């Protein structure tokens, strides 16, 4: 099988390793089948010896992280500016080729600014569980179609898609964020929520990102208690299904 490529941007090892481990678990892939590149540390060009060769990968998964595409350019670190430039080029090529791609959280920002799309601070959501509702198109979608019409997912974000890219198909929404998932072409998806997160995963992230402005100081214990009371079982199936659809020789 051609491997899958996982692109991460988390600088904190505990969160970065936890995210990668969760994607391995949800996809059922072995480490040799899911190559990880940490873009906050190195250029994808250096990691792979050149630009991403789409034909070498069964599919690509882009994880989340504290980067925001809507941040002022002057506020972005050198690593973020480099990562965003590389991801912008890759996203254009992925969409043009309709190559299997699933972007979560930061991934929706990467795809959301293509083709006239707009990502801004209009629809933030606090860390925790949120009810996601599929659209009619979502219910018929190859990746999302196996999910219930309504399900709980973990999320937490400062920015979101305010205007969909031209040609994008809206797949899911929530009460406080109109764009929770969309598709470009037939094989390129983005989610605002985190399909890989379970209770332990989000509790770890709450701890790691306690000083990153996602919630008020001292609120970690309350958020973790709420997370432990939530029932989040469906989103992980998206990663399982992604591999089922696109694993190839």
């Amino acid at each position: 099988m051609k491997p899958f490529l996982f692109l991460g941007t988390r600088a904190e090892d505990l969160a970065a390793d936890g995210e990668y481990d969760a994607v391995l678990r949800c996809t059922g892939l072995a480490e040799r089948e899911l190559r990880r590149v940490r873009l906050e540390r190195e250029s994808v060009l250096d990691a792979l010896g050149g630009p991403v060769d789409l034909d070498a990968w069964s599919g690509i998964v882009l994880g989340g992280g504290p980067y925001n595409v809507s941040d002022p350019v002057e506020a972005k670190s050198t690593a973020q500016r480099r990562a965003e430039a590389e991801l912008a080029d890759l996203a254009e090529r992925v969409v043009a080729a309709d190559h299997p791609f699933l972007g979560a959280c930061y991934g929706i920002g990467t795809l959301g600014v293509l083709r006239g799309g707009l990502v801004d601070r209009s629809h933030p959501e606090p860390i925790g569980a949120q009810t996601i509702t599929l659209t009619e198109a979502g219910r018929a979608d190859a990746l999302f179609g196996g999910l219930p019409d309504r399900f709980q997912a973990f999320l937490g974000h400062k920015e979101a898609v305010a205007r969909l890219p031209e040609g994008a198909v809206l797949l899911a929404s929530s009460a406080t964020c109109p764009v929770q998932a969309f598709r470009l072409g037939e094989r390129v998806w983005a989610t605002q929520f985190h399909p890989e997160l379970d209770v332990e995963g989000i509790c770890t992230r709450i701890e790691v990102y306690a000083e990153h402005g996602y919630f008020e100081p001292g609120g970690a214990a309350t958020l973790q208690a709420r997370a432990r009371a939530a029932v989040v079982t469906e989103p992980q199936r998206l990663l399982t299904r992604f591999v089922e659809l696109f694993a190839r020789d």
Side-chain angles (χ1 to χ4, degrees):
M1 185 192 78
K2 289 185 178 180
F4 286 77
L5 177 63
F6 177 74
L7 302 174
T9 60
R10 299 184 187 277
E12 303 79 12
D13 287 343
L14 185 60
D17 292 343
E19 181 180 47
Y20 179 57
D21 290 344
V23 173
L24 285 171
R25 183 173 64 254
C26 294
T27 58
L29 296 171
E31 288 190 33
R32 67 180 183 281
E33 298 169 323
L34 184 65
R35 169 71 185 277
R36 173 165 66 154
V37 176
R38 293 182 62 171
L39 293 176
E40 87 289 351
R41 288 185 172 182
E42 61 179 336
S43 165
V44 71
L45 303 177
D46 294 335
L48 300 181
V52 177
D53 177 4
L54 298 181
D55 191 55
W57 307 97
S58 286
I60 301 170
V61 177
L62 172 59
Y67 290 169
N68 293 289
V69 299
S70 62
D71 286 341
V73 174
E74 61 272 16
K76 296 179 180 180
S77 66
T78 300
Q80 180 175 348
R81 291 195 298 270
R82 173 185 48 73
E84 286 187 356
E86 293 184 345
L87 287 171
D89 175 72
L90 176 61
E92 292 283 4
R93 294 198 295 120
V94 160
V95 172
D98 200 25
H99 186 78
F101 182 97
L102 176 58
C105 194
Y106 183 57
I108 204 170
T110 298
L111 292 175
V113 296
L114 300 178
R115 299 182 175 183
L118 175 65
V119 175
D120 64 17
R121 303 296 180 104
S122 300
H123 302 287
E125 292 178 297
I127 292 179
Q130 180 63 265
T131 299
I132 309 299
T133 302
L134 296 183
T135 64
E136 182 177 352
R139 293 191 293 271
D141 183 71
L143 186 64
F144 279 75
L147 298 181
D149 291 354
R150 291 165 61 85
F151 58 90
Q152 293 278 297
F154 286 127
L155 48 72
H157 54 96
K158 300 174 183 177
E159 64 180 11
V161 174
R163 182 177 63 242
L164 283 168
E166 182 180 353
V169 178
L170 179 65
L171 301 177
S173 300
S174 68
T176 49
C177 183
V179 180
Q180 283 289 346
F182 68 84
R183 188 186 73 241
L184 284 167
E186 296 300 323
R187 304 194 295 178
V188 178
W189 289 271
T191 69
Q192 183 64 74
F193 59 88
H194 289 277
E196 83 287 356
L197 270 186
D198 59 11
V199 170
E200 293 307 318
I202 194 168
C203 286
T204 297
R205 299 233 185 124
I206 290 169
E207 178 182 342
V208 170
Y209 294 113
E211 307 299 325
H212 283 67
Y214 290 100
F215 53 88
E216 293 297 323
T222 298
L223 290 175
Q224 288 172 327
R226 290 175 182 169
R228 293 187 186 282
V231 179
V232 176
T233 59
E234 302 302 320
Q236 295 89 345
R237 293 167 55 189
L238 292 173
L239 287 159
T240 306
R241 179 63 174 158
F242 186 69
V243 170
E244 290 174 349
L245 286 171
F246 301 117
R248 60 195 174 97
D249 295 330

